[in-house]
Amino acid sequence: QVQPVESGGGSVQAGGSLKLSCAASEFRSINYCVAWFRQPPGKEREGVASVGTGRGDTYYADSVKGRFTISQGNGKNTVYLQMNSLKPEDTAMYYCAARFTWSGACAAVGRPYDYNYWGQGTQVTVSS
């Protein structure tokens, strides 16, 4: 059972940066797609970015392109989300999610129902 563990959330002013981490020993395998989702208060959960642990392909939601970067650490068991130029509308609970894939690629960020394994979430608050 994959159990992603997130860390790195917090409060920041608009224009600032935060780096989220998602750790699981299974991410050392080449057969996972790992994604970040977020859920603002009162809204649906939406995909932010994804990375394939085999092929290293990355995908982003239009709302974060050019500001957020998803990457896999050198130790391979951690996936990061570097968030720059943060805006108040980025305020949300951020979740790490993963699914097994034989191809080692993601093909897209995907929808929540595409993912089997979820972390508990970490809160990001951006003030204006």
Side-chain angles (χ1 to χ4, degrees), residues 74-105:
N74 291 333
K76 299 296 185 182
N77 65 324
T78 304
V79 170
Y80 300 101
L81 184 69
Q82 177 67 47
M83 305 185 294
N84 298 329
S85 302
L86 283 161
K87 305 175 181 180
E89 51 263 44
D90 294 318
T91 295
M93 184 70 79
Y94 282 71
Y95 296 92
C96 179
R99 61 180 175 87
F100 183 87
T101 170
W102 286 111
S103 69

Side-chain angles (χ1 to χ4, degrees), residues 38 46-50 59-66 109:
R38 66 186 181 186
E46 62 179 4
V48 174
S50 66
Y59 303 88
Y60 297 92
D62 288 343
S63 58
V64 306
K65 280 180 182 176
V109 177

